[in-house]
């Protein structure tokens, strides 16, 4: 009988630390009154910092499989985890004042957030279908609860209900696909399945069948058309502080899931899933960008924009080359940064009893605060892909990857729809700079939020000016 | 037909019948009871497969705990089932088309051709001294220790979420707080207001 | 050494950032101290580099500092190439910039935009240093655009004057034309060599010498000629060569220190520097060299004529700058790159001196720039007078002064050159010597000698300017005299080493070097030569017309009214541009706007597609009904379609 070496636990240290700290937060929070809630907040941020230190301290240089083949320690996982910490920290900081103004400033928000993050971490370094599924459920379950967190809001409850039911349906599809794969290959280990799939001479019909179900489950998680229906309703219905979370970090985890399931375990079926992803990508780009134009609610608009961005992400993955994977990874992490920034701006402008989620609430922002208008300008430009912001490089590298495999038509389609998409991003800029503001309420938020959102905007710009380091980090994850 | 096979078919027929009734009976209590029956027969089938531990767990956990709780809820809530069936007929044709297409495709794949008895090796028979509870414990704490722990965390999240979403202090609920009663001060109870006896002349 | 190289451009950048961003906090004195300190550090470090490269004879440094991005195997880097050519430019740029910084304290001391001004000129210094230190085309282009940008900002520094805004717009537009050519040139290099790095390109260039390309189908052009001429178009814009010269005289709307620093000593010479840097490419195309030579000769002569009729003190100097830039270009065309760079250096000193002296006069005259209102300033402003005299003598090439050595070398080199157009160029530069002397001393005499024509009020307040103004004048006067004596090693020795590449058949400087016996001999030879006689004739003419017999000027003007009109209107170049290019462009634009924009783009594409998109969006929106079972159903349909598609596809294949 083989045993686990103590050193293997060292690889899991960030996960273990986050779990322990989450339990600590859960218990400590019981003894806190409303006034001392900041302790929970600070503890949660410290948890993230500690996890980041642990991840950095044992940053993977090669691939190590541990825990009887259920866990993998590799550069892709390391980098994605770091970004997940950063994005989650941003989410926590942005949410604080929002939650407090609405009487939602409770420890459970942070506990559930940390559990969701743990789920993402599990997902990111999963090396078995079982771990993938469990990580996904841990993440989803926490998110369902967070969406319903504002119990007095009927829209939030409705959104949670929809998310839950549809999520269960998608999980079912994913599980069904996985069980087919198990039946065909006799293993749940990603490495073994990968070898078995690559080894099978004729791409058997069971594998294709399994693939369809797996892709459907993945597409739901990413929000690709036609599995996207939940996104606008959930984004819109959930409290903004939760939308902020759902719209950012889980996208990084979803990318990891995509990589683990498709590229690593079903790399042998690349020609087949390339076609499926191409269909999903084109539909997502088209539907996301076109419907976003008709939206008057910023949260809904950003929801559709997410759909179109996921279309772009799929483009990188479907290329099936290391360049494509690293481009998609770059896209995922930079998109998460832009998304928290954009939702963070909504939180920044909203106050007790007022959700600044209509497009009109951004009118004349430049008169109220030129700096924050500028940050929003950077974020919108970045989402639209205007140089020199990072969004430009993200789109560029993804397009390069597709062109490199001679799928020029799909690159042209992507460019066409992102031009249509640029319209609604730039409309926000126009509203901020050229229209009269409806209110002259001063922007009143804490220093931590101001600094974080400023840093967020600056990072989006700085990564656009100096994308080299991050690009090479992403490339290093796929040798 | 040996006895084992006979038992299998009996259980299988009862299981299918019970499962069918779960979704066709109108009365929710009846449906729940049919579900209990389905679990029982299922446990019987598992016993045939030498999965004694799982069979007992199924009975204990699902029948003993989950279903009893479920019956309580169903009986107390008095659900009106008729609105749930609205639109059932309207969407039936298109639903049927989709379902049958799906079924057809599944048959193509999950047929005997791919998952027939000949494609899977016949499992080894174990003697009476063989403890599959022990084997289960063995893999659970070695091969599957990581997923097992994550599953535990998921349960914790479920508890946290359930409590966070349902437990609340209702302002209308009246209850006694002894510590407040003890520490009460006179000033908290009455307010002495001084007023001039008459309106001042302006 | 690498740290030093890095510090040289970064020190002024730091000064610029501090003065620009925290100008209000650190105050006026803080702004000038921090920028002067930054530029001072650059200058001192440039001296260190000079010692390292020239006196210790170190090998050239070529290395990258930061890789900006790698695309398709091509690296875009920030890197430095420091050889002796760079070293010389570093010294010139940082020294003149330092002098101008100090001078600015006096010139701008009443201006409300004091900190902004210092921030800009320090930023300019940074950009210029990055340009000359670059080791690749991309960084060269960035530096090129950055100096252009700062120049634009500074010409329009007094942004409340309409004329300044007009001038900076003009400079911007004209430079766009040049930059377009330059960018095309860089693109052509990238296409041909697939690299942006100087050394890679230079090494590969000879093997591409015979190649031809077809830009227009059926017409074959030499690849090297195309590249070099495109690059030279860029140089024409920046170094104000005919016909892209029109912006430089107008740029005098900017403050005088700017005219000295940017529009005389450094930025305008960037084109000259660039061509010298690209000598391995230009040497491969005689056609390109001929173009360079002829353009330079035209600029040198015809811009000189214009100087004679100008009345604004700064414009006279500006036209003289144009003419001198023409000289440098001629030197490049004649393959005498070293002579061009040498003239660049001496010119930087004496032209900065002349500008700053003009500025000193302007301060004293309370910002009146018309030389017809001056006269007899000699007794009021002795330091300005003497330094101006040194500058003017250097400009006309009086033997012994800096300008003499460099200019004579160019004339001799042109004489020795054999390429097509060299005879014309020789006649042009020779004639230009007379013209140069005429306009220089016309201005000199009108300003400092003769009757005092200013009004009473101004006269009462006339006095010498303060030391922050006069010290830089003196400091610049010294190299204006002495800088020429290094002619031996720079031109005929091996100063530039491998930095400049000249084909043996056209190495005119080596030819001259055979007869070179030393600076003294060069002076003796100069005194007996034709250029000296012409210069003296010009000086004498100026003296006769403007001092001895002032009436003659009006007579001449009346007699040659036609020519005078042409000159006053600057050969109608501005009117031509205004009518043909600007008017034509407006006409075409109007047409395209009406047909293309309003009708097709706005009407059909933008509004049309917007309408279509809006319609689609409003329809598809209804799919998002909000009903859970609709959503679930759409997922199942999606899955079904995926399944069916691939089952069929899989079975079919």
């Amino acid at each position: 009988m083989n045993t686990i070496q103590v050193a293997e636990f060292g690889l899991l240290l960030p996960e273990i630390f986050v779990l322990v700290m989450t339990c600590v937060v859960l218990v400590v929070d019981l003894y806190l009154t409303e006034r001392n809630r900041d302790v929970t907040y600070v503890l949660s941020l410290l948890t993230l910092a500690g996890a980041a230190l642990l991840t950095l301290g044992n940053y993977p240089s090669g691939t190590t499989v541990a825990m009887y083949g259920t866990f993998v320690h590799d550069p892709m996982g390391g980098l994605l985890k770091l970004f997940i910490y950063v994005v989650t920290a941003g989410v926590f900081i942005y949410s604080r004042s929002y939650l407090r103004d609405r009487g939602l400033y409770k420890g459970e928000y942070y506990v559930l957030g940390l559990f969701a993050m743990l789920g993402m971490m599990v997902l990111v370094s999963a090396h078995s279908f079982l771990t993938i599924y469990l990580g996904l459920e841990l993440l989803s379950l926490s998110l369902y609860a967070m969406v319903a967190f504002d119990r007095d809001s009927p829209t939030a409850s409705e959104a949670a209900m929809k998310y839950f039911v549809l999520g269960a349906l998608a999980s079912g599809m994913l599980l069904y696909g996985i069980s087919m794969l198990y039946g065909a290959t006799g293993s749940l280990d990603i490495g073994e399945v990968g070898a078995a799939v690559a080894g099978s001479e004729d791409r058997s019909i069971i594998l294709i069948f399994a693939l369809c179900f797996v892709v459907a489950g993945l597409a739901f998680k990413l929000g690709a058309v036609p599995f996207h229906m939940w996104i606008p309703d959930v984004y819109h219905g959930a409290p903004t502080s939760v939308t902020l979370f759902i719209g950012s970090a889980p996208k990084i985890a979803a990318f990891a899931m995509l990589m683990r399931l498709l590229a690593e375990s079903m790399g042998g079926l690349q020609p087949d899933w390339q076609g499926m992803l191409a269909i999903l990508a084109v539909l997502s780009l088209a539907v996301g960008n076109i419907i976003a134009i008709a939206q008057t609610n910023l949260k809904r608009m950003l929801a559709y924009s997410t759909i179109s961005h996921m279309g772009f992400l799929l483009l990188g993955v479907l290329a099936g080359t290391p360049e494509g994977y690293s481009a998609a990874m770059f896209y995922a992490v930079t998109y998460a940064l832009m998304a928290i920034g954009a939702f963070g701006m909504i939180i920044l402008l909203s106050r007790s009893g007022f959700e600044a989620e209509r497009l009109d609430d951004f009118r004349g922002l430049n008169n109220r605060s030129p700096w924050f208008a500028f940050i929003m300008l950077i974020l919108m430009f970045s989402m639209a892909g205007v140089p020199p912001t990072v969004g430009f490089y993200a789109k560029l590298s993804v397009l390069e990857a597709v062109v490199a495999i001679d799928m020029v038509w799909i690159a042209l389609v992507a460019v066409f729809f992102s031009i249509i998409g640029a319209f609604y991003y730039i409309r926000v800029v126009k509203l901020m700079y050229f229209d009269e503001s409806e209110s002259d309420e001063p922007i009143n938020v804490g220093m931590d939020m101001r600094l974080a959102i400023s840093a967020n905007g600056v990072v989006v710009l700085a990564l656009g000016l100096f994308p080299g380091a991050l690009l090479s980090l992403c490339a290093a994850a796929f040798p | 037909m040996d006895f084992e096979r006979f038992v299998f078919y009996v259980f299988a027929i009862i299981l299918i019948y019970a499962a069918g009734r779960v979704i066709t009976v109108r009365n929710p209590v009846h449906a729940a009871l049919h579900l209990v029956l389905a679990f029982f027969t299922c446990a019987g089938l598992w016993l045939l497969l030498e999965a004694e531990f799982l069979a007992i767990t199924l009975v204990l956990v699902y029948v003993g705990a989950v279903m009893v709780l479920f019956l309580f809820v169903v009986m107390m809530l008095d659900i009106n089932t008729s609105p749930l069936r609205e639109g059932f007929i309207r969407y039936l044709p298109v639903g049927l088309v989709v379902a049958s297409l799906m079924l057809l495709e599944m048959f193509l794949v999950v047929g005997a051709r791919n998952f027939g008895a000949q494609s899977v090796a016949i499992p080894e028979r174990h003697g009476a001294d063989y403890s599959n509870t022990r084997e289960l414990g063995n893999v659970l704490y070695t091969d599957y220790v990581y997923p097992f722990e994550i599953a535990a965390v998921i349960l914790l999240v479920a508890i946290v979420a359930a409590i966070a979403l349902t437990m609340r202090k209702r302002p209308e609920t009246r209850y006694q707080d002894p510590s407040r009663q003890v520490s009460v001060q006179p000033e908290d109870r009455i307010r002495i207001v001084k007023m001039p006896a008459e309106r001042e002349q302006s | 050494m690498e740290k030093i190289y890095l510090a040289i451009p970064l020190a002024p950048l730091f000064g610029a950032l501090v003065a620009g961003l925290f100008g209000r906090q650190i105050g006026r004195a803080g702004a000038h101290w921090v920028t002067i300190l930054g530029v001072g550090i650059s200058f001192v470090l440039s001296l260190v580099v000079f010692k390292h490269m020239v006196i210790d004879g170190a090998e050239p440094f070529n290395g990258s500092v930061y890789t900006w991005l790698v695309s398709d195997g091509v690296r875009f880097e920030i890197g430095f190439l420091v050889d002796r050519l760079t070293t010389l430019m570093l010294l010139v740029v940082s020294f003149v910039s330092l002098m101008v910084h100090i001078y600015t304290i006096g010139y701008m001391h009443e201006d409300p935009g004091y900190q902004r001004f210092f921030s800009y000129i320090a930023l300019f210094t940074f950009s210029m240093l990055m340009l000359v230190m670059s080791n690749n085309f991309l960084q060269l282009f960035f530096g090129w655009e950055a100096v252009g940008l700062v120049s634009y900002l500074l010409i329009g520094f007094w942004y409340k004057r309409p004329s300044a805004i007009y001038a900076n717009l003009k400079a911007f537009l004209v430079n766009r034309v040049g930059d377009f050519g330059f960018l095309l040139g860089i693109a052509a290099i990238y296409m041909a060599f697939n690299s942006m790095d100087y050394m890679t390109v230079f090494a590969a260039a000879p093997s591409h010498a015979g190649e031809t390309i077809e830009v227009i189908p059926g017409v074959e052009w030499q690849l090297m000629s195309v590249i070099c001429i495109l690059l030279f178009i860029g140089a024409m814009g920046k170094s104000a060569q005919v016909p892209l010269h029109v912006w430089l005289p107008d740029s005098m709307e900017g403050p005088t220190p700017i005219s000295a620093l940017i529009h005389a000593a450094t930025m305008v010479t960037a084109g000259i520097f660039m061509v010298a840097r690209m000598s391995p490419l230009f040497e491969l195309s005689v056609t390109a060299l001929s173009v360079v030579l002829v353009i330079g000769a035209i600029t040198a002569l015809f811009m000189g004529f214009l100087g004679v009729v100008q009345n604004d003190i700064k414009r006279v100097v500006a036209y003289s700058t144009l003419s001198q830039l023409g000289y440098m270009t001629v030197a490049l065309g004649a393959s005498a790159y070293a002579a061009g760079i040498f003239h660049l250096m001496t010119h930087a000193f004496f032209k900065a001196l002349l500008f700053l002296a003009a500025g000193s006069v302007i301060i004293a005259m309370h910002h009146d720039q018309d030389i017809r209102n001056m006269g007899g300033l000699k007794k009021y402003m002795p330091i300005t007078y003497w330094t101006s005299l040194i500058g003017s003598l250097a400009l006309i090439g009086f033997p012994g002064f800096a300008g003499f050595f460099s200019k004579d070398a160019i004339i001799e080199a042109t004489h020795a050159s054999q390429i097509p157009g060299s005879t014309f160029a020789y006649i042009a530069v020779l004639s230009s010597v007379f013209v140069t002397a005429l306009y220089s001393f016309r201005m000199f005499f009108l300003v400092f000698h003769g009757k005092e024509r200013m009004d009473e009020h101004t006269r009462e307040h006339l006095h010498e300017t303060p030391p922050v103004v006069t010290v830089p004048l003196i400091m610049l006067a010294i190299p204006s005299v002495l800088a020429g004596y290094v002619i031996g090693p720079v031109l005929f020795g091996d100063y530039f080493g491998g930095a400049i590449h000249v084909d043996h058949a056209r190495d005119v400087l080596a030819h001259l070097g055979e007869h070179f016996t030393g600076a003294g001999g060069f002076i003796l030879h100069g005194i007996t030569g034709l250029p000296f006689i012409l210069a003296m004739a010009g000086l004498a003419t100026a003296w006769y017309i403007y001092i001895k017999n002032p009436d003659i000027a009006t007579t001449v003007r009346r007699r040659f009214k036609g020519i005078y009109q042409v000159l006053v209107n600057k050969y109608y170049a501005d009117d031509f541009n205004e009518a043909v290019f600007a008017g034509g462009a407006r006409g075409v634009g109007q047409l395209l706007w009406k047909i293309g924009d309003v009708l097709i783009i706005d009407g059909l594409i933008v509004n049309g597609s917007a309408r279509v998109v809006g319609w689609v969006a409003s329809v598809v929106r209804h799919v998002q009904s909000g009903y859970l079972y609709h959503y679930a159903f759409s997922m199942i349909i999606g899955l079904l379609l995926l399944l069916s598609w691939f089952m069929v596809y899989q079975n079919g294949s």
Side-chain angles (χ1 to χ4, degrees), chain A residues 158 162 165-166 169-170 173 203 205 208-209 212-213 215-216 220 226-229 232-233 272 275-276 279 290-291 293-295 300 304 393 400 420 465-466 468, chain C residues 66-69 71-72 613-614 616-618 620-621 623-628 630-639 642-647 649-651 653:
Chain A
E158 185 189 325
K162 284 178 185 165
V165 172
L166 296 176
L169 188 60
M173 291 178 182
R203 300 197 300 275
I205 200 156
I208 301 292
F209 197 74
C212 284
F213 279 95
V215 166
F220 174 83
F227 305 93
H228 69 287
M229 301 292 237
D233 288 18
D272 297 295
M276 295 186 200
I279 296 172
I290 290 177
I291 304 190
I293 291 178
Q295 305 303 320
R300 254 187 130 72
Y304 283 104
Y393 280 97
E400 268 179 355
I420 291 183
L465 292 173
F466 307 103
Chain C
Y66 173 75
T67 302
W68 185 53
L69 86 121
S71 171
D72 207 11
V613 166
V616 171
S618 65
V620 182
R621 245 180 121 170
V623 176
Q624 194 77 28
S625 58
Y627 288 115
L628 186 56
H630 284 177
Y631 295 0
F633 200 63
S634 94
M635 281 172 68
I636 290 173
I637 297 273
L639 177 69
L642 264 188
L643 273 176
S644 316
W645 175 287
F646 281 93
M647 303 281 272
Y649 165 81
Q650 178 70 12
N651 289 346
S653 67

Side-chain angles (χ1 to χ4, degrees), chain A residues 312 316 319 323-324 326-331 334 390-404 471:
Chain A
F312 255 104
E323 290 75 35
S326 66
M329 183 161 165
F330 186 78
Y331 205 102
T334 53
V390 70
F392 168 72
Y393 280 97
K395 285 197 164 56
L396 183 71
S397 49
V398 166
L399 291 176
E400 268 179 355
V402 231
V403 170
L471 277 173

Side-chain angles (χ1 to χ4, degrees), chain B residues 105-118:
Chain B
E105 277 167 1
M106 283 192 187
F107 262 118
L108 280 176
V109 176
V110 202
R113 189 159 54 92
N114 292 318
F115 286 102
Q118 73 278 7

Side-chain angles (χ1 to χ4, degrees), chain C residues 155 163 166-168 170-171 174 239-241 244-254 259 263 268 303 306-307 310 312-323 325 355 369 570 573-574:
Chain C
I155 295 173
S163 60
Y166 176 76
N168 74 355
K170 189 167 173 184
V174 174
S239 294
Q241 298 295 303
L244 300 181
H245 65 281
V246 288
W247 65 274
L248 187 59
D250 285 355
S251 76
M252 296 302 137
E253 287 297 333
S259 309
H263 305 120
V268 290
M303 292 302 113
L306 295 182
Q310 293 299 321
D312 182 318
I313 183 168
K314 281 176 70 183
R315 282 184 183 252
V316 177
V317 190
Y319 278 105
S320 109
T321 307
L322 280 171
S323 167
L325 287 168
F355 261 120
Q369 307 190 352
K570 301 166 246 173
D574 277 346

Side-chain angles (χ1 to χ4, degrees), chain B residues 64-166:
Chain B
V66 178
M67 287 319 297
V68 170
L69 198 63
F70 199 78
L71 273 175
F72 264 119
V73 174
V74 170
M75 286 186 211
M76 287 172 76
L77 284 186
D78 183 28
I79 298 168
N80 185 6
T81 51
S82 54
L84 293 177
R85 292 176 180 262
E86 259 176 36
F88 182 75
I89 300 298
R90 216 176 107 213
Y91 291 99
L92 192 63
V94 61
L96 273 182
V97 170
V98 170
S100 50
L101 270 177
M102 204 88 139
L103 209 62
L104 183 74
E105 277 167 1
M106 283 192 187
F107 262 118
L108 280 176
V109 176
V110 202
R113 189 159 54 92
N114 292 318
F115 286 102
Q118 73 278 7
S119 66
V120 184
I122 296 170
E124 190 189 342
R125 260 183 201 286
H126 296 290
D129 57 338
Y130 177 80
S131 161
N132 74 29
T133 312
R134 184 194 180 83
E135 286 301 308
L136 210 59
N138 251 340
V139 288
L140 213 50
Y141 286 97
T142 56
D143 284 3
Y144 296 104
V145 63
Y146 185 50
F148 184 63
E149 297 296 336
I150 301 170
V153 177
I154 292 181
L155 290 181
L156 177 59
V157 171
I159 296 170
V160 172
I163 294 175
L165 293 185
T166 53

Side-chain angles (χ1 to χ4, degrees), chain A residues 190-271:
Chain A
I190 286 180
E192 286 173 23
V193 173
V197 169
S200 67
E201 293 273 308
D202 53 334
R203 300 197 300 275
S204 83
I205 200 156
I206 307 180
L207 289 179
I208 301 292
F209 197 74
L211 183 62
C212 284
F213 279 95
V214 169
V215 166
L218 283 173
F220 174 83
K221 205 61 227 167
L222 284 168
V225 178
F227 305 93
H228 69 287
M229 301 292 237
W230 61 279
I231 288 200
D233 288 18
V234 171
Y235 277 32
H236 187 190
T240 311
S241 59
V242 177
T243 310
L244 166 73
F245 191 42
I246 298 182
S248 54
K251 303 297 171 199
I252 300 180
F255 164 75
M257 192 162 84
L258 201 60
M259 289 304 299
R260 301 284 183 216
L261 280 175
L262 293 189
E264 290 181 13
S265 64
M266 289 191 268
L269 295 175
Q270 200 261 347

